[in-house]
Amino acid sequence: MDEETTHFYRHADGSYSTVTFSGTEGHATPPEGAVEITEAEYNEGVAAIEAANAAKVAEEEAAAQERARLDYEALIAAGIPPETAARMSGYNPPHPTVGD
């Protein structure tokens, strides 16, 4: 059975990729504009990209929730019942807890 060898690359645009070779199938020539890096560097870079993407998604979700809250408040101010305003805006206001 042929042994596989994986090579890790960082591209000029900040993206990452891998190439896996089996046996004597070929040799590792970095893709154009890419630099070969260690597996640890690859894992760290990919984790940083995933964390940045997750932060961006969380930021966008928070902004959407804030827009929905503002729409809800405008509907309430216009005299729409809270339950209807919540459905129309997509905002679910927090429910008061016991002791509030």
Side-chain angles (χ1 to χ4, degrees):
M1 180 153 199
D2 290 335
E3 187 175 321
E4 289 188 339
T5 304
T6 301
H7 298 268
F8 303 89
Y9 301 100
R10 180 179 47 245
H11 299 267
D13 66 359
S15 63
Y16 293 83
S17 67
T18 63
V19 177
T20 302
F21 293 100
S22 180
T24 58
E25 175 178 285
H27 63 285
T29 302
E32 189 172 332
V35 175
E36 189 164 3
I37 58 175
T38 66
E39 182 176 5
E41 290 171 317
Y42 171 84
N43 290 336
E44 185 178 300
V46 169
I49 289 171
E50 290 172 348
N53 288 343
K56 178 76 172 161
V57 167
E59 181 182 305
E60 290 170 355
E61 288 174 353
Q65 185 66 10
E66 178 63 9
R67 284 189 304 275
R69 184 187 67 77
L70 293 172
D71 290 345
Y72 171 81
E73 290 176 358
L75 290 166
I76 295 292
I80 304 295
E83 297 81 14
T84 304
R87 281 193 306 276
M88 291 173 71
S89 66
Y91 179 71
N92 293 312
H95 298 289
T97 56
V98 176
D100 278 355

